[in-house]
Amino acid sequence: MGSDTSTADLLAGLDPEQRAAATAPRGPVCVLAGAGTGKTRTITHRIAYLVRAGHVAPGQVLAVTFTNRAAGEMRARLRSLGVEGAQARTFHAAAMRQLQYFWPRVIGGRPWPLAESVFRLAGRAAQRVGASTEIEVVRDLLSEIEWAKSSLIGIDDYPAAAARLHRDTSEPAERVRDVYRAYEALKSDQQVLDFADLLLHTTAAIEEDRSVADEFRDRYRCFVVDEYQDVTPLQHRLLDAWLGERDDLTVVGDANQTIYSFGGASPAPLLDFTRRFPEAAVIRLERDYRSTPQVVSLANRVIGAARSRPAGSRLRLVGQRSDGPEPRFSEYDDEQAEAAAVARRAKELIDAGTPASEIAVLYRVNAQSEAYEQALSEAGISYLIRGGERFFARREVREAMAALRTAAADPPEGELPAVVRGLLARVGLTDKPPSGGAAKERWDALNSLVELAEEFVADASEASLPRFVGELEQRAAAQHPPTVEGVTLASLHSAKGLEWDAVFLVGLAEGTMPIQHADGDDAAIEEERRLFYVGVTRAREHIWLSWALARNPGGRRGRRRSRFLYGLVPEDHPAARVAKSAQHKNRSVSKCRICGTRLTGALEVKLARCANCPSDIDEDLLAQLKEWRVRRSRELGVPAYVVFTDATLIAIAEQRPVDDSALVSISGIGATKLERFGADVLAVVRESAGQR
């Protein structure tokens, strides 16, 4: 399909490790790719190389990833490399397409559609079996159902699996099982599917119908999986069904960025790849082209402190960019002061030439966004909330799409960007942007379509209006929006796969980072550390790390900065002395209260005893504490673990604290928990003691 010269040109811009990955022979290939090392560039060049070398036709390639944005970026890069026809989709989008095609043959009739609201179905299922229908409880129940299906755990097997894996739910495991059964029955009655069903039914069709398997495997010969560390057991089973007995598989991943274990994801397939395929080529990408050496150094120190790191996760990034500013650490009296300082610094960056779209404020939970929305608004800075209103659902975008679609039937002559701009002028795009407010937001959305047309001309060999409309339709179906000007507000989980010139990591206090309910579980704490690492590696040049000692102005300044910041804050920083003091305090209490042995694990520290020493738990007290927790969680409308985790309740039931001082000595109970729940907990302890 291509000459030696074109192949050489294709490989010319790759570094030695990227080139090795791109040119590896057909067969199993594992690319261990650190953050910012050019993994998308590498795998798209590998696909292009295999196509140009004649090893595979474009239509025989199926590349899958985890987000619509990543799939869209992969398609755009393949198109710019001259590869037309290769499929780049999410697991669910690929499965939906296959299931719709095979449904009439395997099941018969018209394919069942996706349910409009699985949350509503879960709520009806909860009501049917007598479970709570409060919003937070239903959300928790639905998450458990999704986790079970992604983990290939059947309805009847759920209680045993939940007990074995210590799932912390707001309803008993048997009640979750009953809701799970009712939920599946409701879907069958309504003849609708959820996202997991797309994968389950597609897998079953290929595994159980030989003609389906033969037709699919004749069509697709080469498979590429991005973000392989995030595959769930269900996705892996579908991948195995796609492959059959073949091994033409390239996987790319980074175990240091595994942040979806709560949903069933596991880095095990990535780390065990060479056990399954002993002849696999393994390439490590560690040259970081995204971030300055200062950001890279910070990231290496964050992940270098992780415990029990498998060999396949020990990537050490090497910065390739020129020097930049040092990371900045800031401590504030309260969250409002922190948000105001972030807004001021963002304005300084914008005034100095950094586009607002190249600035992000990242936080652990979505509820933290409110203070930053207010602070940015007061500073006159536009912002976008990632996960907010979908771009292609906006009224002006729908009107623009309709205008472009109509014009594509008889395209006007001229350069595509100019044609698009002229058409969008009819729906409100002016030559100059409005000064601000909602009008400016509408203008930005329309103008981003023009900018997308300019990108399309640069990438596509035949940039016609009909083809551009087709690209927009595909983006709309995949929810892959263009860039719109404004500071991005996003949770750390939703920031995965993105990058900005300047990143503010905010709210870095104990109880938020790591999140409160992770305390007492070593694996959960390490996942929180990886999430923090993901946040750091989103920054190209500027990174600002901050925390507040109180929630509200004038409130008690009882919070501590995140344990993940110990060793990162510079020696001469005002907060360094306090951090050292906290470390010393932690060291001084980390001995078993029974035998005096030094404690290492987070759960041992919480219980104040080593695993080998006998528990002196008061079972009646534990039962009363759990009953109290259920009542409080329902009053507050939050999952039970947000009040206190099981590990914390066990520690209380073992140590039986009698006052505030004894209560806060238990790891994971800080000033906030003491203020909200301390009096209640101590009352339960006293009442239990009086009953004996």
Side-chain angles (χ1 to χ4, degrees):
M1 167 168 181
S3 66
D4 290 341
T5 302
S6 65
T7 301
D9 291 343
L10 174 71
L11 302 174
L14 304 182
D15 68 32
E17 294 78 22
Q18 292 172 340
R19 182 188 293 253
T23 60
R26 282 188 63 181
V29 175
C30 178
V31 183
L32 299 174
T37 57
K39 66 181 180 63
T40 305
R41 175 182 177 83
T42 301
I43 57 178
T44 51
H45 278 70
R46 172 163 177 75
I47 293 170
Y49 175 82
L50 292 173
V51 169
R52 291 196 187 186
H55 295 307
V56 66
Q60 295 175 319
V61 176
L62 176 58
V64 287
T65 187
F66 283 80
T67 67
N68 294 312
R69 184 184 185 92
E73 181 182 356
M74 201 179 295
R75 287 193 299 270
R77 292 203 188 193
L78 287 170
R79 185 173 60 239
S80 70
L81 294 173
V83 179
E84 303 278 357
Q87 295 294 312
R89 298 178 180 274
T90 65
F91 269 100
H92 292 97
M96 175 182 280
R97 187 173 185 182
Q98 294 158 27
L99 187 60
Q100 288 176 336
Y101 176 78
F102 289 119
W103 186 286
R105 184 194 313 178
V106 176
I107 300 174
R110 298 181 62 181
W112 291 4
L114 282 170
E116 291 184 3
S117 173
V118 291
F119 181 85
R120 191 177 301 120
L121 282 171
R124 289 183 57 194
Q127 185 178 37
R128 178 174 290 188
V129 303
S132 171
T133 56
E134 294 176 6
I135 290 175
E136 292 296 335
V137 175
V138 173
R139 186 174 295 134
D140 190 33
L141 290 167
L142 182 59
S143 294
E144 281 302 289
I145 293 170
E146 291 172 343
W147 167 78
K149 297 181 75 168
S150 294
S151 302
L152 296 173
I153 295 170
I155 295 170
D156 292 329
D157 296 328
Y158 173 82
R164 185 177 69 254
L165 298 171
H166 306 291
R167 300 293 292 183
D168 194 359
T169 61
S170 54
E171 292 280 349
E174 290 72 17
R175 184 68 58 82
V176 178
R177 174 200 59 201
D178 295 343
V179 175
Y180 186 178
R181 179 177 285 111
Y183 170 83
E184 292 298 320
L186 283 168
K187 285 198 290 98
S188 294
D189 291 345
Q190 296 184 20
Q191 296 190 342
V192 294
L193 306 174
D194 61 20
F195 277 106
D197 292 333
L198 298 177
L199 277 60
L200 286 164
H201 289 311
T202 303
T203 301
I206 297 174
E207 288 180 343
E208 298 171 10
D209 191 309
R210 186 67 193 181
S211 67
V212 170
D214 289 344
E215 182 174 348
F216 176 85
R217 292 168 187 164
D218 184 61
R219 166 71 190 276
Y220 293 107
R221 306 291 182 86
C222 176
F223 298 88
V224 177
V225 183
D226 190 16
E227 304 286 5
Y228 194 57
Q229 78 279 352
D230 287 332
V231 294
T232 65
L234 174 55
Q235 290 164 336
H236 205 271
R237 184 162 178 175
L238 175 59
L239 178 61
D240 285 345
W242 285 343
L243 279 169
E245 299 300 318
R246 300 168 297 171
D247 65 356
D248 198 347
L249 172 66
T250 298
V251 300
V252 186
D254 177 8
N256 290 331
Q257 297 187 66
T258 303
I259 59 173
Y260 297 113
S261 295
F262 61 86
S266 168
L270 174 68
L271 299 173
D272 294 340
F273 192 79
T274 53
R275 294 183 185 176
R276 180 179 180 186
F277 301 107
E279 72 283 12
V282 180
I283 299 98
R284 300 167 69 92
L285 304 184
E286 296 178 302
R287 303 180 198 230
D288 187 324
Y289 297 96
R290 174 188 299 160
S291 306
T292 63
Q294 286 74 16
V295 174
V296 169
S297 174
L298 179 66
N300 283 333
R301 283 181 284 153
V302 168
I303 204 62
R307 297 181 179 181
S308 305
R309 295 174 70 197
S313 71
R314 294 174 193 161
L315 296 171
R316 184 169 181 82
L317 301 177
V318 181
Q320 304 296 301
R321 292 186 54 181
S322 57
D323 280 346
E326 291 291 336
R328 296 180 63 173
F329 299 85
S330 297
E331 181 175 272
Y332 296 95
D333 286 342
D334 55 74
E335 291 180 2
Q336 289 186 26
E338 183 182 7
V342 167
R344 287 195 301 271
R345 177 59 180 152
K347 192 171 191 313
E348 290 173 3
L349 290 168
I350 294 169
D351 291 344
T354 301
S357 58
E358 286 295 345
I359 301 173
V361 179
L362 306 182
Y363 34 76
R364 177 61 180 84
V365 293
N366 289 321
Q368 293 172 266
S369 74
E370 184 178 359
Y372 297 92
E373 294 176 50
Q374 182 176 343
L376 290 170
S377 295
E378 290 175 354
I381 300 172
S382 299
Y383 63 86
L384 307 110
I385 302 176
R386 184 161 176 78
E389 182 184 19
R390 292 185 171 183
F391 177 83
F392 288 101
R394 294 178 65 106
R395 179 178 178 180
E396 64 272 15
V397 174
R398 287 187 280 110
E399 292 174 349
M401 293 278 285
L404 295 173
R405 200 179 293 117
T406 299
D410 185 17
E413 293 185 2
E415 293 292 325
L416 180 62
V419 168
V420 170
R421 183 175 290 279
L423 291 168
L424 298 190
R426 303 175 189 174
V427 294
L429 181 63
T430 57
D431 291 337
K432 293 183 179 180
S435 57
K440 176 63 162 55
E441 289 184 16
R442 289 192 292 271
W443 188 93
D444 285 338
L446 294 174
N447 190 61
S448 68
L449 294 175
V450 177
E451 293 174 348
L452 203 59
E454 293 169 349
E455 293 177 17
F456 190 75
V457 168
D459 290 343
S461 54
E462 298 178 11
S464 64
L465 182 60
R467 289 195 66 193
F468 178 61
V469 169
E471 168 71 9
L472 290 179
E473 298 281 9
Q474 195 170 39
R475 279 176 170 259
Q479 288 302 327
H480 177 213
T483 299
V484 179
E485 200 60 32
V487 171
T488 300
L489 299 178
S491 71
L492 286 164
H493 279 101
S494 67
K496 176 85 177 292
L498 304 177
E499 58 188 77
W500 296 269
D501 284 346
V503 168
F504 294 86
L505 293 180
V506 300
L508 300 178
E510 281 290 303
T512 304
M513 173 53 67
I515 199 72
Q516 174 68 33
H517 59 75
D519 207 5
D521 183 335
D522 286 349
I525 291 295
E526 291 309 312
E527 179 136 336
E528 291 287 297
R529 190 191 308 275
R530 293 192 296 270
L531 186 58
F532 180 39
Y533 172 77
V534 165
V536 171
T537 56
R538 299 310 94 197
R540 298 193 191 102
E541 185 174 357
H542 303 276
I543 185 162
W544 175 302
L545 304 95
S546 62
W547 59 94
L549 300 179
R551 180 181 300 278
N552 299 310
R556 181 179 176 185
R557 299 165 72 249
R559 294 178 176 176
R560 292 185 290 119
R561 66 197 50 76
S562 169
R563 70 190 73 179
F564 299 149
L565 294 173
Y566 297 162
L568 302 182
V569 179
E571 292 287 334
D572 58 351
H573 193 281
R577 178 179 55 81
V578 183
K580 286 182 178 179
S581 174
Q583 282 183 305
H584 177 74
K585 177 184 176 184
N586 287 341
R587 284 198 296 268
S588 67
V589 298
S590 58
K591 290 185 178 180
C592 177
R593 58 188 164 85
I594 298 172
C595 70
T597 302
R598 183 178 179 82
L599 303 177
T600 55
L603 182 56
E604 289 185 342
V605 171
K606 180 180 285 294
L607 298 178
R609 64 171 174 83
C610 55
N612 295 327
C613 283
S615 170
D616 53 354
I617 191 168
D618 184 332
E619 295 287 356
D620 290 337
L621 173 56
L622 180 61
Q624 292 173 37
L625 286 168
K626 287 187 174 181
E627 290 176 4
W628 165 81
R629 181 179 64 173
V630 168
R631 292 195 302 271
R632 286 297 277 140
S633 67
R634 288 180 174 171
E635 289 171 6
L636 297 171
V638 299
Y641 61 74
V642 173
V643 178
F644 279 127
T645 64
D646 280 352
T648 301
L649 294 187
I650 291 170
I652 295 170
E654 286 193 0
Q655 299 174 47
R656 298 182 284 281
V658 296
D659 54 27
D660 287 359
S661 177
L663 190 58
V664 297
S665 71
I666 296 174
S667 175
I669 302 181
T672 301
K673 292 285 186 181
L674 179 65
E675 183 177 347
R676 297 186 72 186
F677 308 121
D680 285 356
V681 169
L682 292 173
V684 173
V685 174
R686 285 193 295 270
E687 182 180 351
S688 177
Q691 291 172 352
R692 289 196 300 275

